[in-house]
Amino acid sequence: MSGRDRGSRGRGRGDRGGVPAGYRGRGDDGSRGRGDEGSRGRRDGGGYAGGGGRGGGRGGRGGRPERDVYRPVDGVPPPNSKVQKKEDELHKVLVKTKSPSEFPLRPGFGTRGSPVLLFTNSFELIPEPNLLLYRYGISIEPLAKNQPDITGKKLSQLVKQLLQTDQFVDHEDGLVTDFRSNIIAREQLLSQPFDQVMQYVAENEDEPAVNAPKFRVQVEETGVLTVSQLTDFLTSSDMSRMFEDKKSIVQALNIFVRHYAKESQSVGTIGTAKSFPLNPDEQSGQTSDLGGGLRAIRGIFSSIRVATCRILVNINVTAAAFYDPIRLDMLIRNYGLPPRVSKLKVDGFLKRLRVEVIHLPSKKNKAGVVIPRIKTIFGLATKNDGTGAGSSGPPPKVQDFGAGARGVQFFLRDEGPEQSSSGKKAGGAKGKKAGGQPGPGSGSGSQGRYVSVEDYFKQRYNRVVSDLAMPVVNVGNRANPSYLLAQCCLVLPGQSSQSKLNSHQSQRMIDHAVRPPFKNAASIVNEGPSIVGLFPETNVKMVTTPDPTFCGLRHTDIWKTQFGISIPTSLLTVPGRVLQGPKVSYKDHKHVIPSDGSWNLRDKVKFNSAGNLPRWSYLMISTAWQPNPFNAESLWNSVKNFHKVLNDMGIAGSAPVQGLQIHIKTHEEIDSEIEGALKKATVQAQLRLVLVIFPDKDTEMYNAVKHTADVKLGIHTVCLVSKQFGKGHPSYFANVALKVNLKLGGINHVVEDRLGIIKEDKTMVIGIDVTHPSPSSSSKAPSIASMVASIDHWLGQWPAELRIQQRRKEMVTDLDQMLKTRLELWQRLGFHKAYPENLLIYRDGVSEGQYAAVIEEELPLLRKACREMYPATETKRGIPNITIIVVGKRHHTRFYPTNLANADANSNPKNGTIVDRGVTEARNWDFFLQAHTALQGTARPAHYYVVLDEIFTRRGIKPPFQTTADVLEDLTHNMSYLYGRATKAVSLCPPAYYADIACERARRYLSKLFEQSTPSGTLASTSVSGGTGESRAEDMLVHPNLKNTMFYI
């Protein structure tokens, strides 16, 4: 599994339609040998060698996939003629326009490639011609001092409560809300601002609870939006025109599109844009069991997009892992208990899970509706319960972390069984007391006594504990715990899991979510509108497509009957082009012509430039839980066979020396045993490269190897799985050899005569990325920035620089210092006398809302570094020229072939497909490029958006190009064939791809922060090196032996 090796991250997989945040598997589509995106996948930062990416490519892929295209009943519609006519008109304007704008104007549309007609996963939103939207802001402030702000589901409930007040209830069909801070209305709602004190009323309750919090709620009109002004702007030929309300109208329309799902009782949501059926149909494949208490559910993503002449609703299939809505003790058993699963993992799995308490008598409101008693799990019981700020009285007695009902005791005062120890009616066993202190010694006395959770539930509720080993759960907090038996809780439906899936769950998620593109297209049309609420039959705020003869009413009468917005649920078609790929060259100019974006090494080609193989050997690891199947003889034979493949591919060097074998008895020994073995290999055996052979894939061992080898010892390592390595298949060995050669400084292959400006050897190509902690990471986990850069015009070696920075900060703070290190390597490793004249930057991971921040925050740092490095004579004449292109891979735009002739073997568009019309806005210089062939599922194109250009528009256009857009599109496409870790074009331009992989390697170094396993409410007690829990720069400072190499591959 290499590829990313993103093989681990899986860019080689198909679109699962999106994956849950905790999923660390193969990303979106089958392409880059790692999984194309979406999730940031597993991110082994190199991963196990020999898998994804197809490496040596000597074998086939197995069975033939089902092949078809989406076929609408009414046939394939042509592209919108009005849009095409306007784009043709704007093309003539754009190639001549030099008007300043926030970002570079599109220098015309691309022209190269074979034309193709594609479906895209968007519907058109048609507003009433004179539609006005009244926008209102909601402000909610706690009334009491020190009262926390209201958030989450309680905030949503309070907004629902607000909409039932006299000022709003009569306008229900004419308003929508995000249930947080905005109301959008069809007509004016208030003659004066709304300002009232409201007491929170829980869902389905008739009255506020005793001591329910009070809030000051204010609603005020913040503007009137004229939707036609947006459509006029999108149609205008005035390229210098700006429209301030664009973002506000898009936000209002997003609120409209997403309101139904947030309000519906049959749909659950994740974030603002993803909607899932709460009662999915298993027979139709909407849901499937993942095991371990989780199930996959297929849902729908929705978002408003703007394009030339029209407003679009982008609809895409997505998938996420949800908790099984079963009894909590059954969920925990399905997930696992010690010794199979640690209690730390159980604690993390259950944290923030909402459950219904089922051991108490049912409660109904005045309408006879049962009011469920809902609690949120804080975590398992710990010895720290009852301590910290806000605690008082005697704390609970907890035998050990995650103890069962007999091992947890709390202080129960003597007032009677109707009162818990906190003085409130007992739904659970509360771990605090309201009155005085207990007597000496035993903790009991005239005011109360300690009682176990087991005895309390038996005496108070006649509930016998069914499993004493089952942990009790704390539904209070650390300072004031409240304990419940797991058997007395029912997991509420519609709760997504943020936990990292194990390998078996990941594979099941892939099986569930990776679907042929034509099936996803059909789901978008057939399932999407009902889930999101685009059908008038289920959403009263929708209207049908305007028809002047409908029911004999005039056009304007139809619009006025509802909200004034129509969304015909038919996929749009757009024009695309298929670019021709380049020839790939190996040693002695031996050319290989790719087919469908990939090629193989059957012809015994040698690496274009081979590295020198140093003294090397292997380290074989076995564990008490995973024995290694190798015997000494078979292992040595495999190592010698691998050495022969290295020689055949041009890597010369010494034969391997006899290696080491270690046996790890416990998980606690992993770090020390691996460090000891690698130290022996480095110090005693003087090795510079070690093949580390695992009995099976193991993230914990992988992290230990990479941190020890990369940071502490400075020795190259390649991690392998014994089952694959032992088979000795030439294609597998060739895959591993690709990685080895890059680590040794070699160049695997090149693209000749198709890199335009790059071949002049005056342009350094740079990739930048930032990775952030996941929801399950430690609060001390930082964000990590990476920068990779080419050293010459071959684009074969990309050394990386890593930096820790402020948590969750996307803009890179040390960018100036990082760039300086890359400029030094351009001279030293690339043997250049001068610094590059051009810096071509592919910036990964920036959302649309942060494009301006790249120019405002990162560009000044880049210019600062250049001023400090370049001669004054160069900077005075504007050298270097800088172009910055933001690469997006977490978008939801997809394309589908309209006929089989234009489809690849997996029913996706052919590799090289590019789209810059139909779904783009003419003013923006952006395009979608699917450079790769997805191995399965729906291919996800990369989105490229130019935020600064000082290179391409300043150069003349030479044949065969007709526009500057052609030049950049062709260069980006050709570079996609230069990912050294695979014999295929990859879905993301290599500089951005490599930067992403480098970030993932840094996560391995700080894995104890990024993959934290500590009880709820506590901090990690150690750092990656045993300190305070803080991240330190030295913990990911790559050893001098490796820092100028592609160590991260």
Side-chain angles (χ1 to χ4, degrees):
M1 160 173 151
S2 61
R4 108 169 202 142
D5 203 76
R6 274 200 190 201
S8 44
R9 166 162 162 181
R11 277 198 173 141
R13 293 283 185 181
D15 188 30
R16 345 181 186 326
V19 290
Y23 174 62
R24 303 288 184 93
R26 299 173 175 80
D28 178 67
D29 69 10
S31 59
R32 329 196 235 204
R34 56 166 201 178
D36 184 42
E37 67 226 80
S39 65
R40 279 201 168 205
R42 217 183 85 140
R43 306 182 159 181
D44 283 332
Y48 301 90
R54 224 164 125 192
R58 291 188 166 103
R61 284 205 299 264
R64 183 177 296 276
E66 182 180 3
R67 191 166 182 263
D68 203 351
V69 295
Y70 172 63
R71 304 174 190 271
V73 175
D74 298 330
V76 179
N80 186 299
S81 58
K82 177 184 175 183
V83 174
Q84 283 198 309
K85 182 178 179 181
K86 174 56 65 173
E87 287 178 336
D88 290 340
E89 174 189 326
L90 292 175
H91 175 76
K92 298 175 183 178
V93 175
L94 288 166
V95 294
K96 300 176 182 178
T97 301
K98 303 296 181 183
S99 300
S101 62
E102 183 180 16
F103 302 119
L105 285 175
R106 183 187 301 275
F109 293 102
T111 63
R112 288 172 60 78
S114 304
V116 63
L117 182 64
L118 304 165
F119 284 113
T120 188
N121 59 332
S122 288
F123 305 144
E124 184 172 359
L125 183 147
I126 306 173
E128 175 186 352
N130 298 314
L131 178 62
L132 297 180
L133 298 178
Y134 293 82
R135 184 177 57 179
Y136 294 87
I138 306 171
S139 173
I140 300 176
E141 297 179 354
L143 206 61
K145 292 182 179 180
N146 300 322
Q147 180 182 328
D149 291 335
I150 189 169
T151 58
K153 292 186 179 296
K154 289 186 176 180
L155 173 58
S156 177
Q157 174 61 20
L158 189 61
V159 174
K160 291 178 182 178
Q161 193 177 326
L162 165 69
L163 298 184
Q164 294 304 307
T165 59
D166 294 341
Q167 291 87 340
F168 299 100
V169 68
D170 293 336
H171 302 280
E172 183 178 2
D173 290 347
L175 65 81
V176 291
T177 177
D178 58 6
F179 296 98
R180 292 184 302 174
S181 57
N182 293 283
I183 294 173
I184 305 297
R186 179 76 193 276
E187 57 187 22
Q188 192 168 20
L189 303 178
L190 303 172
S191 58
Q192 58 185 13
F194 176 95
D195 191 342
Q196 288 187 15
V197 172
M198 298 179 63
Q199 190 170 19
Y200 178 79
V201 180
E203 187 175 6
N204 294 324
E205 294 279 6
D206 297 310
E207 302 292 338
V210 178
N211 298 324
K214 295 181 179 180
F215 301 88
R216 182 184 180 186
V217 180
Q218 297 173 293
V219 182
E220 186 174 3
E221 183 178 308
T222 57
V224 181
L225 305 172
T226 305
V227 180
S228 62
Q229 292 179 352
L230 175 59
T231 54
D232 290 345
F233 171 74
L234 297 173
T235 309
S236 172
S237 298
D238 182 1
M239 293 295 99
S240 62
R241 179 178 172 183
M242 304 297 289
F243 181 47
E244 292 183 357
D245 280 345
K246 176 182 173 181
K247 291 182 179 179
S248 297
I249 293 177
V250 169
Q251 180 193 37
L253 294 176
N254 264 321
I255 291 172
F256 170 81
V257 168
R258 296 165 179 170
H259 174 90
Y260 172 83
K262 292 182 179 297
E263 186 181 47
S264 173
Q265 297 298 310
S266 62
V267 178
T269 59
I270 297 178
T272 60
K274 294 180 180 179
S275 308
F276 297 84
L278 292 183
N279 298 299
D281 181 9
E282 191 154 3
Q283 290 187 342
S284 68
Q286 272 192 330
T287 183
S288 61
D289 183 28
L290 296 180
L294 299 178
R295 69 176 36 254
I297 299 179
R298 186 168 70 241
I300 294 294
F301 168 91
S302 60
S303 179
I304 296 294
R305 312 288 301 173
V306 294
T308 302
C309 292
R310 56 187 175 183
I311 303 169
L312 306 178
V313 184
N314 179 212
I315 302 289
N316 194 30
V317 175
T318 187
F322 287 80
Y323 290 92
D324 276 325
I326 57 178
R327 216 171 63 187
L328 183 62
D329 57 329
M330 297 171 61
L331 181 84
I332 295 174
R333 286 193 190 95
N334 290 343
Y335 180 73
L337 284 168
R340 185 165 66 90
V341 177
S342 72
K343 289 182 179 178
L344 286 172
K345 289 188 175 181
V346 176
D347 178 83
F349 181 68
L350 299 179
K351 190 173 184 179
R352 293 187 292 273
L353 186 64
R354 299 175 73 238
V355 295
E356 178 184 354
V357 178
I358 57 176
H359 67 285
L360 298 174
S362 62
K363 178 183 177 183
K364 297 182 179 180
N365 61 17
K366 294 177 181 178
V369 176
V370 174
I371 303 173
R373 293 177 168 87
I374 309 300
K375 299 291 182 181
T376 300
I377 295 175
F378 181 80
L380 304 184
T382 79
K383 292 186 175 183
N384 293 327
D385 287 352
T387 63
S391 63
S392 62
K397 295 179 178 179
V398 179
Q399 190 172 36
D400 52 38
F401 170 63
R406 186 171 292 175
V408 178
Q409 297 182 345
F410 66 97
F411 190 78
L412 180 69
R413 66 183 199 182
D414 286 341
E415 279 79 355
E418 282 298 316
Q419 298 293 318
S420 77
S421 61
S422 66
K424 298 179 181 179
K425 288 190 176 181
K430 305 260 181 118
K432 307 301 295 179
K433 83 178 194 72
Q437 298 296 320
S442 67
S444 62
S446 60
Q447 296 177 348
R449 61 191 172 87
Y450 274 99
V451 62
S452 71
V453 173
E454 177 192 20
D455 291 341
Y456 177 80
F457 272 84
K458 183 176 181 180
Q459 296 165 12
R460 176 70 182 89
Y461 302 110
N462 196 30
R463 294 275 180 163
V464 177
V465 176
S466 59
D467 183 358
L468 289 174
M470 179 65 59
V472 300
V473 292
N474 178 4
V475 295
N477 53 38
R478 181 64 65 237
N480 296 288
S482 179
Y483 301 113
L484 287 173
L485 298 177
Q487 68 191 61
C488 295
C489 301
L490 184 66
V491 178
L492 295 179
Q495 297 185 83
S496 63
S497 170
Q498 299 299 313
S499 299
K500 177 181 175 181
L501 303 187
N502 62 38
S503 59
H504 299 292
Q505 291 172 323
S506 296
Q507 185 57 54
R508 290 181 181 180
M509 174 61 81
I510 292 170
D511 295 339
H512 169 83
V514 173
R515 307 169 72 220
F518 57 88
K519 290 187 177 181
N520 273 350
S523 292
I524 288 168
V525 174
N526 299 328
E527 299 174 13
S530 60
I531 293 174
V532 179
L534 302 184
F535 288 142
E537 294 83 357
T538 55
N539 187 355
V540 297
K541 296 176 174 62
M542 296 299 302
V543 299
T544 56
T545 304
D547 183 353
T549 64
F550 182 72
C551 295
L553 299 176
R554 291 174 293 123
H555 185 147
T556 53
D557 290 329
I558 301 172
W559 285 120
K560 288 179 179 177
T561 57
Q562 301 293 348
F563 205 90
I565 293 175
S566 172
I567 304 175
T569 54
S570 300
L571 293 185
L572 303 177
T573 56
V574 296
R577 294 168 286 118
V578 181
L579 302 179
Q580 182 180 1
K583 289 188 292 186
V584 175
S585 180
Y586 286 86
K587 189 175 182 180
D588 299 326
H589 302 283
K590 189 167 186 178
H591 297 299
V592 178
I593 299 177
S595 174
D596 297 325
S598 64
W599 62 98
N600 58 55
L601 304 179
R602 288 196 189 101
D603 297 329
K604 303 295 183 182
V605 296
K606 295 182 182 294
F607 291 133
N608 184 273
S609 171
N612 292 318
L613 187 63
R615 185 174 170 84
W616 68 288
S617 187
Y618 62 85
L619 168 63
M620 187 175 77
I621 301 175
S622 64
T623 68
W625 58 94
Q626 286 181 325
N628 204 311
F630 267 125
N631 59 46
E633 183 179 358
S634 62
L635 172 59
W636 184 241
N637 286 336
S638 291
V639 172
K640 289 191 296 184
N641 290 336
F642 175 61
H643 180 231
K644 182 179 183 302
V645 171
L646 293 178
N647 290 159
D648 290 344
M649 299 182 76
I651 299 179
S654 59
V657 300
Q658 283 288 348
L660 300 174
Q661 299 183 34
I662 60 172
H663 181 74
I664 300 175
K665 297 177 181 178
T666 67
H667 284 276
E668 289 72 25
E669 293 180 356
I670 287 177
D671 287 356
S672 60
E673 288 288 335
I674 287 176
E675 182 171 348
L678 289 176
K679 273 186 177 178
K680 185 180 293 186
T682 307
V683 178
Q684 295 183 14
Q686 296 292 304
L687 302 181
R688 300 265 63 86
L689 171 71
V690 176
L691 303 182
V692 183
I693 303 167
F694 295 153
D696 202 350
K697 298 170 185 174
D698 190 300
T699 300
E700 193 174 2
M701 287 195 292
Y702 181 89
N703 295 343
V705 167
K706 292 306 178 182
H707 185 242
T708 299
D710 293 359
V711 176
K712 295 182 178 181
L713 302 177
I715 181 173
H716 283 301
T717 53
V718 178
C719 295
L720 310 166
V721 175
S722 59
K723 182 178 180 181
Q724 295 171 310
F725 189 69
K727 291 179 180 178
H729 197 282
S731 64
Y732 178 83
F733 283 163
N735 245 334
V736 180
L738 293 173
K739 174 180 286 190
V740 170
N741 194 48
L742 293 176
K743 287 176 179 287
L744 299 180
I747 299 173
N748 289 351
H749 62 269
V750 298
V751 170
E752 294 184 354
D753 302 324
R754 290 290 297 274
L755 295 179
I757 190 176
I758 304 298
K759 67 182 180 182
E760 299 173 8
D761 207 18
K762 297 179 181 180
T763 301
M764 184 165 75
V765 188
I766 299 169
I768 301 171
D769 192 19
V770 177
T771 186
H772 304 288
S774 64
S776 61
S777 297
S778 164
S779 60
K780 300 295 182 72
S783 290
I784 299 171
S786 72
M787 176 185 283
V788 301
S790 61
I791 60 173
D792 54 33
H793 67 286
W794 296 114
L795 305 186
Q797 277 290 307
W798 302 77
E801 180 76 5
L802 304 173
R803 296 292 173 101
I804 285 175
Q805 66 178 43
Q806 179 183 335
R807 180 183 175 89
R808 297 284 174 197
K809 182 173 177 57
E810 178 61 40
M811 297 301 110
V812 182
T813 51
D814 285 345
L815 204 56
D816 53 341
Q817 301 303 317
M818 298 172 77
L819 179 58
K820 286 181 181 180
T821 66
R822 302 308 90 187
L823 291 171
E824 290 171 353
L825 293 185
W826 171 268
Q827 281 195 326
R828 182 151 52 90
L829 299 184
F831 303 102
H832 295 101
K833 294 181 179 179
Y835 295 125
E837 291 184 5
N838 306 300
L839 302 180
L840 175 56
I841 300 170
Y842 286 86
R843 177 64 163 92
D844 191 13
V846 177
S847 65
E848 290 182 17
Q850 296 174 311
Y851 287 173
V854 173
I855 302 302
E856 294 166 1
E857 298 181 35
E858 293 192 340
L859 180 59
L861 292 175
L862 294 170
R863 295 206 189 280
K864 177 176 179 287
C866 293
R867 286 194 303 270
E868 295 174 359
M869 295 289 286
Y870 283 72
T873 54
E874 295 287 275
T875 56
K876 284 180 181 178
R877 63 189 190 95
I879 300 297
N881 303 301
I882 300 176
T883 289
I884 303 176
I885 305 165
V886 173
V887 187
K889 55 187 183 294
R890 292 179 190 82
H891 62 83
H892 286 265
T893 298
R894 303 289 184 273
F895 302 104
Y896 312 99
T898 54
N899 59 65
L900 282 173
N902 292 319
D904 67 13
N906 295 311
S907 304
N908 281 298
K910 294 181 178 180
N911 80 287
T913 294
I914 193 163
V915 177
D916 62 359
R917 299 173 61 144
V919 291
T920 61
E921 191 179 345
R923 289 173 178 80
N924 303 331
W925 187 0
D926 67 328
F927 57 91
F928 294 90
L929 172 61
Q930 181 207 315
H932 64 292
T933 296
L935 297 184
Q936 61 177 348
T938 303
R940 180 187 314 215
H943 180 228
Y944 296 89
Y945 190 108
V946 182
V947 296
L948 176 72
D949 177 49
E950 298 174 348
I951 300 175
F952 298 99
T953 51
R954 295 180 181 181
R955 296 170 63 91
I957 302 170
K958 298 179 181 179
F961 304 115
Q962 299 181 39
T963 68
T964 302
D966 282 334
V967 177
L968 178 59
E969 291 173 0
D970 188 74
L971 174 60
T972 302
H973 176 234
N974 290 328
M975 276 201 288
S976 299
Y977 285 75
L978 284 174
Y979 177 58
R981 192 52 197 86
T983 55
K984 62 177 5 177
V986 291
S987 67
L988 194 68
C989 197
Y993 192 165
Y994 285 135
D996 182 272
I997 299 174
C999 274
E1000 295 314 311
R1001 175 57 59 84
R1003 291 176 73 99
R1004 303 304 114 209
Y1005 304 153
L1006 303 180
S1007 61
K1008 290 185 172 55
L1009 294 177
F1010 279 91
E1011 299 176 7
Q1012 181 188 17
S1013 295
T1014 55
S1016 303
T1018 66
L1019 296 176
S1021 59
T1022 61
S1023 74
V1024 283
S1025 56
T1028 62
E1030 300 284 354
S1031 58
R1032 304 179 307 174
E1034 54 264 39
D1035 290 323
M1036 49 170 274
L1037 187 63
V1038 177
H1039 195 280
N1041 290 351
L1042 303 184
K1043 70 174 184 177
N1044 295 331
T1045 71
M1046 294 182 72
F1047 62 88
Y1048 55 89
I1049 286 294

